[in-house]
Amino acid sequence: MPKSTRIRTLAAPAAGLMLASILSLGAGSTASAAETGAQARPTGCSYEVPGDWGTVARCTNANGGSYAAHAICKDRETGKLTSHLGGWRQTGFSYAYCQGNSVAQSAGIMTRVTP
């Protein structure tokens, strides 16, 4: 994973908390003075679990960076937690889909400075 990629925020239920702590790459922060130019992190971001199938994320201003939806999914039979990342976007919605027999447990978003 590129150095400039990190989890901006991650909301996880109690069952996914351990996996979330393992996957977290850093806490979110506002853009610094060095990032306020043409290459800064996206702002105005939101994310949610709209259904069992996965998660969706969107940022209102890419600031020259990009964002991707993040999903933690739980297998219905085994209870195994997996992490899935949606496509990197600069506009519109990013979708992260749960695979196989799993259902979405929590949503998050990843941001990066470069597109």
Side-chain angles (χ1 to χ4, degrees):
M1 189 172 295
K3 216 176 189 183
S4 63
T5 303
R6 63 187 166 141
I7 294 179
R8 183 169 177 92
T9 54
L10 180 64
L17 189 56
M18 185 185 314
L19 179 62
S21 65
I22 293 170
L23 295 174
S24 68
L25 299 174
S29 63
T30 57
S32 69
E35 290 182 329
T36 57
Q39 297 293 317
R41 292 195 179 277
T43 57
C45 301
S46 60
Y47 49 88
E48 66 177 300
V49 177
D52 285 350
W53 54 267
T55 66
V56 62
R58 179 174 188 236
C59 296
T60 56
N61 191 348
N63 296 319
S66 54
Y67 54 91
H70 181 247
I72 294 181
C73 305
K74 183 177 182 179
D75 187 280
R76 294 175 195 212
E77 294 176 12
T78 66
K80 179 181 177 184
L81 297 173
T82 55
S83 176
H84 300 281
L85 192 62
W88 288 98
R89 304 291 309 246
Q90 289 186 301
T91 60
F93 295 94
S94 174
Y95 300 94
Y97 296 97
C98 292
Q99 308 295 309
N101 195 31
S102 63
V103 295
Q105 293 293 295
S106 64
I109 191 167
M110 294 183 74
T111 63
R112 63 184 182 189
V113 174
T114 56

